[in-house]
Each structure stands twice: as C-alpha cells, then as structure tokens.
Amino acid sequence: MNFINRPNGKFTNEEKVKMFHTMGGVASVIALVLVILIESGLEGERREMADMGLTAMIVMLAVSLIGSMYFKK
C-alpha cells in the first residue's frame, strides 16, 4: 500500500516544505503546553517526563527548521 498516490512515488519539494512546516507547528504547540505545565507546577511527579518531552519538541523544532530550509529553493 503506497502512502503517496503518484506514479513515481515521490514528494515534490513544495510538499516536503509543507510537511516540515506542519511538523514544526505541531511541535511548537506541544512545547508550549509542556512549558505551561512545567512552569505552573501541574506536572506533579512526572517532572522528568515533561522535561524529556520538552527536549524532544525542541529537537523536532530544529529538525523542521533545517528540513524546510533544505528543501526551499
């Protein structure tokens, strides 16, 4: 089962940039929620998990920035 319905099975550069922008938007919203949880103290005993999640979202933001810059012309 193909993920893409194209004869050559490849994404265009514009589609790749759009996917990286979407990934960055989702990661930024999740990072914002994690920051609010950490700063308000609502994470409780799961502080380490919230910190790891925030670190992962920062990495995702960096990857999405690099990816979108790489595929832009």
Side-chain angles (χ1 to χ4, degrees), residues 7-68:
N8 62 358
K10 296 188 178 186
F11 288 112
T12 63
N13 282 344
E14 292 83 19
E15 290 171 333
K16 291 176 186 177
V17 169
K18 185 177 177 184
M19 281 190 289
F20 278 114
H21 282 187
T22 304
M23 182 176 71
V26 170
S28 64
V29 169
I30 294 172
L32 177 66
V33 169
L34 288 171
V35 166
I36 290 171
L37 284 174
I38 291 170
E39 291 297 321
S40 65
L42 295 175
E43 79 282 352
E45 61 191 34
R46 297 186 178 152
R47 172 77 185 215
E48 292 86 18
M49 185 178 286
D51 286 338
M52 286 189 298
L54 184 59
T55 303
M57 291 304 110
I58 291 170
V59 170
M60 291 290 289
L61 285 168
V63 167
S64 66
L65 177 66
I66 292 168
S68 64

